PDB file of all heavy atoms in Angstrom:
ATOM      1  N   LEU O   1     133.464  69.977  94.397  1.00 98.00           N
ATOM      2  CA  LEU O   1     134.195  71.173  94.814  1.00 98.00           C
ATOM      3  C   LEU O   1     134.713  70.937  96.227  1.00 98.00           C
ATOM      4  O   LEU O   1     134.097  70.189  97.000  1.00 98.00           O
ATOM      5  CB  LEU O   1     133.293  72.413  94.815  1.00 98.00           C
ATOM      6  CG  LEU O   1     132.950  73.092  93.499  1.00 98.00           C
ATOM      7  CD1 LEU O   1     131.940  74.209  93.749  1.00 98.00           C
ATOM      8  CD2 LEU O   1     134.182  73.632  92.804  1.00 98.00           C
ATOM      9  N   ARG O   2     135.791  71.603  96.549  1.00 98.00           N
ATOM     10  CA  ARG O   2     136.271  71.584  97.920  1.00 98.00           C
ATOM     11  C   ARG O   2     136.369  73.013  98.430  1.00 98.00           C
ATOM     12  O   ARG O   2     137.146  73.820  97.912  1.00 98.00           O
ATOM     13  CB  ARG O   2     137.638  70.898  98.056  1.00 98.00           C
ATOM     14  CG  ARG O   2     138.028  70.682  99.510  1.00 98.00           C
ATOM     15  CD  ARG O   2     139.370  70.001  99.675  1.00 98.00           C
ATOM     16  NE  ARG O   2     140.499  70.905  99.417  1.00 98.00           N
ATOM     17  CZ  ARG O   2     141.737  70.686  99.833  1.00 98.00           C
ATOM     18  NH1 ARG O   2     142.014  69.594 100.536  1.00 98.00           N
ATOM     19  NH2 ARG O   2     142.699  71.536  99.546  1.00 98.00           N
ATOM     20  N   LEU O   3     135.570  73.306  99.432  1.00 98.00           N
ATOM     21  CA  LEU O   3     135.626  74.617 100.069  1.00 98.00           C
ATOM     22  C   LEU O   3     136.652  74.592 101.194  1.00 98.00           C
ATOM     23  O   LEU O   3     136.807  73.590 101.887  1.00 98.00           O
ATOM     24  CB  LEU O   3     134.264  75.003 100.628  1.00 98.00           C
ATOM     25  CG  LEU O   3     133.097  75.054  99.646  1.00 98.00           C
ATOM     26  CD1 LEU O   3     131.831  75.549 100.365  1.00 98.00           C
ATOM     27  CD2 LEU O   3     133.403  75.916  98.455  1.00 98.00           C
ATOM     28  N   SER O   4     137.311  75.728 101.370  1.00 98.00           N
ATOM     29  CA  SER O   4     138.248  75.901 102.468  1.00 98.00           C
ATOM     30  C   SER O   4     137.768  77.032 103.358  1.00 98.00           C
ATOM     31  O   SER O   4     137.197  78.009 102.883  1.00 98.00           O
ATOM     32  CB  SER O   4     139.645  76.232 101.941  1.00 98.00           C
ATOM     33  OG  SER O   4     140.145  75.195 101.127  1.00 98.00           O
ATOM     34  N   CYS O   5     138.034  76.888 104.626  1.00 98.00           N
ATOM     35  CA  CYS O   5     137.734  77.933 105.611  1.00 98.00           C
ATOM     36  C   CYS O   5     139.027  78.158 106.376  1.00 98.00           C
ATOM     37  O   CYS O   5     139.405  77.350 107.238  1.00 98.00           O
ATOM     38  CB  CYS O   5     136.610  77.491 106.532  1.00 98.00           C
ATOM     39  SG  CYS O   5     136.285  78.618 107.905  1.00 98.00           S
ATOM     40  N   ALA O   6     139.716  79.241 106.039  1.00 97.00           N
ATOM     41  CA  ALA O   6     141.002  79.546 106.658  1.00 97.00           C
ATOM     42  C   ALA O   6     140.805  80.549 107.781  1.00 97.00           C
ATOM     43  O   ALA O   6     140.112  81.551 107.622  1.00 97.00           O
ATOM     44  CB  ALA O   6     141.960  80.106 105.623  1.00 97.00           C
ATOM     45  N   ALA O   7     141.442  80.265 108.901  1.00 95.00           N
ATOM     46  CA  ALA O   7     141.302  81.126 110.067  1.00 95.00           C
ATOM     47  C   ALA O   7     142.571  81.936 110.298  1.00 95.00           C
ATOM     48  O   ALA O   7     143.678  81.461 110.049  1.00 95.00           O
ATOM     49  CB  ALA O   7     141.014  80.290 111.305  1.00 95.00           C
ATOM     50  N   SER O   8     142.385  83.141 110.773  1.00 94.00           N
ATOM     51  CA  SER O   8     143.508  83.966 111.215  1.00 94.00           C
ATOM     52  C   SER O   8     143.131  84.611 112.538  1.00 94.00           C
ATOM     53  O   SER O   8     141.966  84.892 112.785  1.00 94.00           O
ATOM     54  CB  SER O   8     143.859  85.038 110.177  1.00 94.00           C
ATOM     55  OG  SER O   8     142.757  85.879 109.944  1.00 94.00           O
ATOM     56  N   GLY O   9     144.131  84.793 113.389  1.00 93.00           N
ATOM     57  CA  GLY O   9     143.878  85.418 114.678  1.00 93.00           C
ATOM     58  C   GLY O   9     143.530  84.442 115.784  1.00 93.00           C
ATOM     59  O   GLY O   9     143.395  84.841 116.936  1.00 93.00           O
ATOM     60  N   PHE O  10     143.356  83.159 115.436  1.00 91.00           N
ATOM     61  CA  PHE O  10     143.078  82.148 116.452  1.00 91.00           C
ATOM     62  C   PHE O  10     143.381  80.775 115.879  1.00 91.00           C
ATOM     63  O   PHE O  10     143.470  80.603 114.660  1.00 91.00           O
ATOM     64  CB  PHE O  10     141.630  82.223 116.934  1.00 91.00           C
ATOM     65  CG  PHE O  10     140.599  81.893 115.880  1.00 91.00           C
ATOM     66  CD1 PHE O  10     140.020  80.630 115.827  1.00 91.00           C
ATOM     67  CD2 PHE O  10     140.207  82.837 114.944  1.00 91.00           C
ATOM     68  CE1 PHE O  10     139.066  80.320 114.869  1.00 91.00           C
ATOM     69  CE2 PHE O  10     139.252  82.532 113.988  1.00 91.00           C
ATOM     70  CZ  PHE O  10     138.683  81.281 113.945  1.00 91.00           C
ATOM     71  N   ALA O  11     143.512  79.784 116.745  1.00 92.00           N
ATOM     72  CA  ALA O  11     143.808  78.413 116.328  1.00 92.00           C
ATOM     73  C   ALA O  11     142.516  77.632 116.197  1.00 92.00           C
ATOM     74  O   ALA O  11     141.802  77.410 117.176  1.00 92.00           O
ATOM     75  CB  ALA O  11     144.733  77.746 117.339  1.00 92.00           C
ATOM     76  N   LEU O  12     142.235  77.195 114.970  1.00 90.00           N
ATOM     77  CA  LEU O  12     140.981  76.506 114.708  1.00 90.00           C
ATOM     78  C   LEU O  12     140.808  75.226 115.517  1.00 90.00           C
ATOM     79  O   LEU O  12     139.686  74.798 115.760  1.00 90.00           O
ATOM     80  CB  LEU O  12     140.876  76.169 113.220  1.00 90.00           C
ATOM     81  CG  LEU O  12     140.194  77.191 112.312  1.00 90.00           C
ATOM     82  CD1 LEU O  12     140.179  76.700 110.886  1.00 90.00           C
ATOM     83  CD2 LEU O  12     138.801  77.499 112.800  1.00 90.00           C
ATOM     84  N   ARG O  13     141.887  74.591 115.902  1.00 90.00           N
ATOM     85  CA  ARG O  13     141.789  73.320 116.609  1.00 90.00           C
ATOM     86  C   ARG O  13     141.021  73.438 117.920  1.00 90.00           C
ATOM     87  O   ARG O  13     140.521  72.436 118.438  1.00 90.00           O
ATOM     88  CB  ARG O  13     143.177  72.764 116.876  1.00 90.00           C
ATOM     89  CG  ARG O  13     143.976  73.503 117.930  1.00 90.00           C
ATOM     90  CD  ARG O  13     145.351  72.915 118.111  1.00 90.00           C
ATOM     91  NE  ARG O  13     146.189  73.183 116.945  1.00 90.00           N
ATOM     92  CZ  ARG O  13     147.365  72.598 116.745  1.00 90.00           C
ATOM     93  NH1 ARG O  13     147.829  71.705 117.595  1.00 90.00           N
ATOM     94  NH2 ARG O  13     148.087  72.901 115.681  1.00 90.00           N
ATOM     95  N   TYR O  14     140.958  74.649 118.461  1.00 93.00           N
ATOM     96  CA  TYR O  14     140.264  74.860 119.723  1.00 93.00           C
ATOM     97  C   TYR O  14     138.831  75.349 119.528  1.00 93.00           C
ATOM     98  O   TYR O  14     138.173  75.780 120.490  1.00 93.00           O
ATOM     99  CB  TYR O  14     141.032  75.859 120.578  1.00 93.00           C
ATOM    100  CG  TYR O  14     142.442  75.418 120.878  1.00 93.00           C
ATOM    101  CD1 TYR O  14     143.540  76.188 120.493  1.00 93.00           C
ATOM    102  CD2 TYR O  14     142.687  74.218 121.529  1.00 93.00           C
ATOM    103  CE1 TYR O  14     144.840  75.778 120.750  1.00 93.00           C
ATOM    104  CE2 TYR O  14     143.991  73.794 121.791  1.00 93.00           C
ATOM    105  CZ  TYR O  14     145.057  74.578 121.402  1.00 93.00           C
ATOM    106  OH  TYR O  14     146.344  74.173 121.650  1.00 93.00           O
ATOM    107  N   TYR O  15     138.349  75.297 118.292  1.00 94.00           N
ATOM    108  CA  TYR O  15     137.035  75.801 117.975  1.00 94.00           C
ATOM    109  C   TYR O  15     136.180  74.725 117.293  1.00 94.00           C
ATOM    110  O   TYR O  15     136.698  73.928 116.511  1.00 94.00           O
ATOM    111  CB  TYR O  15     137.129  77.002 117.017  1.00 94.00           C
ATOM    112  CG  TYR O  15     137.615  78.267 117.658  1.00 94.00           C
ATOM    113  CD1 TYR O  15     138.916  78.375 118.119  1.00 94.00           C
ATOM    114  CD2 TYR O  15     136.767  79.357 117.807  1.00 94.00           C
ATOM    115  CE1 TYR O  15     139.362  79.539 118.726  1.00 94.00           C
ATOM    116  CE2 TYR O  15     137.205  80.523 118.402  1.00 94.00           C
ATOM    117  CZ  TYR O  15     138.510  80.604 118.865  1.00 94.00           C
ATOM    118  OH  TYR O  15     138.945  81.758 119.456  1.00 94.00           O
ATOM    119  N   ALA O  16     134.912  74.730 117.591  1.00 95.00           N
ATOM    120  CA  ALA O  16     133.970  73.957 116.801  1.00 95.00           C
ATOM    121  C   ALA O  16     133.620  74.779 115.568  1.00 95.00           C
ATOM    122  O   ALA O  16     133.414  75.993 115.667  1.00 95.00           O
ATOM    123  CB  ALA O  16     132.713  73.651 117.605  1.00 95.00           C
ATOM    124  N   ILE O  17     133.555  74.114 114.421  1.00 96.00           N
ATOM    125  CA  ILE O  17     133.335  74.795 113.147  1.00 96.00           C
ATOM    126  C   ILE O  17     132.073  74.271 112.485  1.00 96.00           C
ATOM    127  O   ILE O  17     131.852  73.055 112.432  1.00 96.00           O
ATOM    128  CB  ILE O  17     134.522  74.573 112.189  1.00 96.00           C
ATOM    129  CG1 ILE O  17     135.843  74.982 112.848  1.00 96.00           C
ATOM    130  CG2 ILE O  17     134.305  75.324 110.880  1.00 96.00           C
ATOM    131  CD1 ILE O  17     135.928  76.440 113.212  1.00 96.00           C
ATOM    132  N   GLY O  18     131.285  75.176 111.984  1.00 97.00           N
ATOM    133  CA  GLY O  18     130.086  74.798 111.254  1.00 97.00           C
ATOM    134  C   GLY O  18     130.131  75.300 109.826  1.00 97.00           C
ATOM    135  O   GLY O  18     130.728  76.337 109.535  1.00 97.00           O
ATOM    136  N   TRP O  19     129.522  74.533 108.937  1.00 98.00           N
ATOM    137  CA  TRP O  19     129.297  74.956 107.555  1.00 98.00           C
ATOM    138  C   TRP O  19     127.802  75.166 107.362  1.00 98.00           C
ATOM    139  O   TRP O  19     127.005  74.278 107.681  1.00 98.00           O
ATOM    140  CB  TRP O  19     129.800  73.920 106.560  1.00 98.00           C
ATOM    141  CG  TRP O  19     131.279  73.883 106.373  1.00 98.00           C
ATOM    142  CD1 TRP O  19     132.153  72.979 106.918  1.00 98.00           C
ATOM    143  CD2 TRP O  19     132.074  74.753 105.575  1.00 98.00           C
ATOM    144  NE1 TRP O  19     133.440  73.248 106.506  1.00 98.00           N
ATOM    145  CE2 TRP O  19     133.416  74.334 105.675  1.00 98.00           C
ATOM    146  CE3 TRP O  19     131.784  75.866 104.756  1.00 98.00           C
ATOM    147  CZ2 TRP O  19     134.459  74.981 105.014  1.00 98.00           C
ATOM    148  CZ3 TRP O  19     132.823  76.506 104.105  1.00 98.00           C
ATOM    149  CH2 TRP O  19     134.147  76.066 104.231  1.00 98.00           C
ATOM    150  N   PHE O  20     127.445  76.302 106.820  1.00 98.00           N
ATOM    151  CA  PHE O  20     126.054  76.646 106.573  1.00 98.00           C
ATOM    152  C   PHE O  20     125.914  77.093 105.121  1.00 98.00           C
ATOM    153  O   PHE O  20     126.887  77.437 104.470  1.00 98.00           O
ATOM    154  CB  PHE O  20     125.605  77.781 107.504  1.00 98.00           C
ATOM    155  CG  PHE O  20     125.608  77.394 108.956  1.00 98.00           C
ATOM    156  CD1 PHE O  20     126.779  77.419 109.696  1.00 98.00           C
ATOM    157  CD2 PHE O  20     124.434  77.009 109.580  1.00 98.00           C
ATOM    158  CE1 PHE O  20     126.785  77.054 111.037  1.00 98.00           C
ATOM    159  CE2 PHE O  20     124.431  76.640 110.922  1.00 98.00           C
ATOM    160  CZ  PHE O  20     125.604  76.664 111.641  1.00 98.00           C
ATOM    161  N   ARG O  21     124.684  77.100 104.655  1.00 98.00           N
ATOM    162  CA  ARG O  21     124.439  77.622 103.314  1.00 98.00           C
ATOM    163  C   ARG O  21     123.102  78.343 103.283  1.00 98.00           C
ATOM    164  O   ARG O  21     122.206  78.057 104.083  1.00 98.00           O
ATOM    165  CB  ARG O  21     124.469  76.511 102.265  1.00 98.00           C
ATOM    166  CG  ARG O  21     123.352  75.494 102.370  1.00 98.00           C
ATOM    167  CD  ARG O  21     123.573  74.368 101.370  1.00 98.00           C
ATOM    168  NE  ARG O  21     122.514  73.371 101.423  1.00 98.00           N
ATOM    169  CZ  ARG O  21     122.530  72.225 100.770  1.00 98.00           C
ATOM    170  NH1 ARG O  21     123.573  71.916  99.994  1.00 98.00           N
ATOM    171  NH2 ARG O  21     121.529  71.372 100.872  1.00 98.00           N
ATOM    172  N   GLN O  22     122.991  79.262 102.338  1.00 98.00           N
ATOM    173  CA  GLN O  22     121.759  80.012 102.193  1.00 98.00           C
ATOM    174  C   GLN O  22     121.483  80.218 100.711  1.00 98.00           C
ATOM    175  O   GLN O  22     122.279  80.850 100.001  1.00 98.00           O
ATOM    176  CB  GLN O  22     121.844  81.361 102.911  1.00 98.00           C
ATOM    177  CG  GLN O  22     120.528  82.097 102.964  1.00 98.00           C
ATOM    178  CD  GLN O  22     120.547  83.243 103.960  1.00 98.00           C
ATOM    179  OE1 GLN O  22     121.598  83.713 104.383  1.00 98.00           O
ATOM    180  NE2 GLN O  22     119.367  83.672 104.374  1.00 98.00           N
ATOM    181  N   ALA O  23     120.378  79.671 100.268  1.00 97.00           N
ATOM    182  CA  ALA O  23     119.937  79.840  98.893  1.00 97.00           C
ATOM    183  C   ALA O  23     119.011  81.048  98.814  1.00 97.00           C
ATOM    184  O   ALA O  23     118.411  81.439  99.829  1.00 97.00           O
ATOM    185  CB  ALA O  23     119.221  78.585  98.419  1.00 97.00           C
ATOM    186  N   PRO O  24     118.857  81.649  97.641  1.00 92.00           N
ATOM    187  CA  PRO O  24     117.987  82.818  97.508  1.00 92.00           C
ATOM    188  C   PRO O  24     116.572  82.528  97.990  1.00 92.00           C
ATOM    189  O   PRO O  24     115.972  81.515  97.619  1.00 92.00           O
ATOM    190  CB  PRO O  24     118.012  83.099  96.001  1.00 92.00           C
ATOM    191  CG  PRO O  24     119.316  82.556  95.546  1.00 92.00           C
ATOM    192  CD  PRO O  24     119.552  81.333  96.379  1.00 92.00           C
ATOM    193  N   GLY O  25     116.066  83.402  98.826  1.00 95.00           N
ATOM    194  CA  GLY O  25     114.711  83.252  99.330  1.00 95.00           C
ATOM    195  C   GLY O  25     114.524  82.213 100.410  1.00 95.00           C
ATOM    196  O   GLY O  25     113.384  81.952 100.827  1.00 95.00           O
ATOM    197  N   LYS O  26     115.608  81.607 100.862  1.00 96.00           N
ATOM    198  CA  LYS O  26     115.519  80.571 101.892  1.00 96.00           C
ATOM    199  C   LYS O  26     116.319  80.971 103.124  1.00 96.00           C
ATOM    200  O   LYS O  26     117.192  81.830 103.066  1.00 96.00           O
ATOM    201  CB  LYS O  26     116.026  79.233 101.345  1.00 96.00           C
ATOM    202  CG  LYS O  26     115.183  78.653 100.226  1.00 96.00           C
ATOM    203  CD  LYS O  26     115.629  77.251  99.877  1.00 96.00           C
ATOM    204  CE  LYS O  26     114.737  76.631  98.821  1.00 96.00           C
ATOM    205  NZ  LYS O  26     115.145  75.235  98.498  1.00 96.00           N
ATOM    206  N   GLU O  27     116.002  80.318 104.229  1.00 96.00           N
ATOM    207  CA  GLU O  27     116.748  80.564 105.451  1.00 96.00           C
ATOM    208  C   GLU O  27     118.118  79.871 105.400  1.00 96.00           C
ATOM    209  O   GLU O  27     118.303  78.891 104.682  1.00 96.00           O
ATOM    210  CB  GLU O  27     115.954  80.048 106.658  1.00 96.00           C
ATOM    211  CG  GLU O  27     114.693  80.830 106.938  1.00 96.00           C
ATOM    212  CD  GLU O  27     114.032  80.410 108.245  1.00 96.00           C
ATOM    213  OE1 GLU O  27     114.499  79.441 108.858  1.00 96.00           O
ATOM    214  OE2 GLU O  27     113.044  81.055 108.632  1.00 96.00           O
ATOM    215  N   ARG O  28     119.021  80.398 106.198  1.00 97.00           N
ATOM    216  CA  ARG O  28     120.330  79.763 106.309  1.00 97.00           C
ATOM    217  C   ARG O  28     120.176  78.407 107.009  1.00 97.00           C
ATOM    218  O   ARG O  28     119.479  78.300 108.024  1.00 97.00           O
ATOM    219  CB  ARG O  28     121.291  80.663 107.089  1.00 97.00           C
ATOM    220  CG  ARG O  28     122.735  80.233 107.028  1.00 97.00           C
ATOM    221  CD  ARG O  28     123.639  81.322 107.592  1.00 97.00           C
ATOM    222  NE  ARG O  28     123.578  82.553 106.795  1.00 97.00           N
ATOM    223  CZ  ARG O  28     124.367  83.613 106.988  1.00 97.00           C
ATOM    224  NH1 ARG O  28     125.300  83.564 107.934  1.00 97.00           N
ATOM    225  NH2 ARG O  28     124.229  84.683 106.257  1.00 97.00           N
ATOM    226  N   GLU O  29     120.808  77.392 106.460  1.00 97.00           N
ATOM    227  CA  GLU O  29     120.677  76.055 107.021  1.00 97.00           C
ATOM    228  C   GLU O  29     122.033  75.434 107.297  1.00 97.00           C
ATOM    229  O   GLU O  29     123.020  75.718 106.596  1.00 97.00           O
ATOM    230  CB  GLU O  29     119.890  75.143 106.071  1.00 97.00           C
ATOM    231  CG  GLU O  29     120.563  74.911 104.728  1.00 97.00           C
ATOM    232  CD  GLU O  29     119.821  73.882 103.875  1.00 97.00           C
ATOM    233  OE1 GLU O  29     118.847  73.271 104.362  1.00 97.00           O
ATOM    234  OE2 GLU O  29     120.243  73.689 102.716  1.00 97.00           O
ATOM    235  N   GLY O  30     122.074  74.584 108.311  1.00 97.00           N
ATOM    236  CA  GLY O  30     123.303  73.880 108.629  1.00 97.00           C
ATOM    237  C   GLY O  30     123.565  72.763 107.640  1.00 97.00           C
ATOM    238  O   GLY O  30     122.647  72.026 107.283  1.00 97.00           O
ATOM    239  N   VAL O  31     124.794  72.637 107.219  1.00 98.00           N
ATOM    240  CA  VAL O  31     125.200  71.606 106.262  1.00 98.00           C
ATOM    241  C   VAL O  31     126.036  70.544 106.956  1.00 98.00           C
ATOM    242  O   VAL O  31     125.785  69.346 106.808  1.00 98.00           O
ATOM    243  CB  VAL O  31     126.008  72.238 105.115  1.00 98.00           C
ATOM    244  CG1 VAL O  31     126.564  71.165 104.194  1.00 98.00           C
ATOM    245  CG2 VAL O  31     125.158  73.235 104.339  1.00 98.00           C
ATOM    246  N   SER O  32     127.017  71.005 107.730  1.00 98.00           N
ATOM    247  CA  SER O  32     127.925  70.084 108.396  1.00 98.00           C
ATOM    248  C   SER O  32     128.621  70.839 109.512  1.00 98.00           C
ATOM    249  O   SER O  32     128.637  72.070 109.535  1.00 98.00           O
ATOM    250  CB  SER O  32     128.956  69.539 107.400  1.00 98.00           C
ATOM    251  OG  SER O  32     129.890  68.704 108.056  1.00 98.00           O
ATOM    252  N   CYS O  33     129.187  70.094 110.440  1.00 97.00           N
ATOM    253  CA  CYS O  33     130.021  70.728 111.459  1.00 97.00           C
ATOM    254  C   CYS O  33     131.045  69.726 111.963  1.00 97.00           C
ATOM    255  O   CYS O  33     130.884  68.515 111.786  1.00 97.00           O
ATOM    256  CB  CYS O  33     129.190  71.299 112.595  1.00 97.00           C
ATOM    257  SG  CYS O  33     128.334  70.085 113.621  1.00 97.00           S
ATOM    258  N   ILE O  34     132.104  70.274 112.570  1.00 96.00           N
ATOM    259  CA  ILE O  34     133.166  69.440 113.119  1.00 96.00           C
ATOM    260  C   ILE O  34     133.520  69.972 114.496  1.00 96.00           C
ATOM    261  O   ILE O  34     133.695  71.175 114.693  1.00 96.00           O
ATOM    262  CB  ILE O  34     134.392  69.409 112.179  1.00 96.00           C
ATOM    263  CG1 ILE O  34     135.467  68.463 112.710  1.00 96.00           C
ATOM    264  CG2 ILE O  34     134.950  70.803 111.924  1.00 96.00           C
ATOM    265  CD1 ILE O  34     136.530  68.114 111.673  1.00 96.00           C
ATOM    266  N   SER O  35     133.583  69.053 115.445  1.00 94.00           N
ATOM    267  CA  SER O  35     133.832  69.437 116.829  1.00 94.00           C
ATOM    268  C   SER O  35     135.311  69.687 117.073  1.00 94.00           C
ATOM    269  O   SER O  35     136.169  69.126 116.392  1.00 94.00           O
ATOM    270  CB  SER O  35     133.351  68.325 117.750  1.00 94.00           C
ATOM    271  OG  SER O  35     131.973  68.090 117.569  1.00 94.00           O
ATOM    272  N   SER O  36     135.631  70.520 118.046  1.00 92.00           N
ATOM    273  CA  SER O  36     137.017  70.657 118.485  1.00 92.00           C
ATOM    274  C   SER O  36     137.370  69.406 119.296  1.00 92.00           C
ATOM    275  O   SER O  36     136.491  68.641 119.695  1.00 92.00           O
ATOM    276  CB  SER O  36     137.185  71.915 119.327  1.00 92.00           C
ATOM    277  OG  SER O  36     136.443  71.822 120.513  1.00 92.00           O
ATOM    278  N   GLY O  37     138.642  69.188 119.486  1.00 84.00           N
ATOM    279  CA  GLY O  37     139.049  68.017 120.257  1.00 84.00           C
ATOM    280  C   GLY O  37     139.033  66.750 119.419  1.00 84.00           C
ATOM    281  O   GLY O  37     139.946  66.479 118.657  1.00 84.00           O
TER     282      GLY O  37
END
């Protein structure tokens, strides 16, 4: 699968972005992230 994260109201290039996930009964966990710049 390919997930998309579309931004509005700001330019994503100037932001660090994280992907997280949360399964039932579990804490939210970091999956991946991408730095700005």
Side-chain angles (χ1 to χ4, degrees):
L1 283 175
R2 189 180 76 161
L3 302 184
S4 299
C5 173
S8 59
F10 65 99
L12 269 180
R13 71 181 70 191
Y14 301 121
Y15 286 67
I17 306 298
W19 284 101
F20 295 82
R21 66 186 181 188
Q22 188 166 18
K26 295 188 176 182
E27 292 188 354
R28 192 169 296 187
E29 63 174 354
V31 174
S32 177
C33 67
I34 184 165
S35 301
S36 64

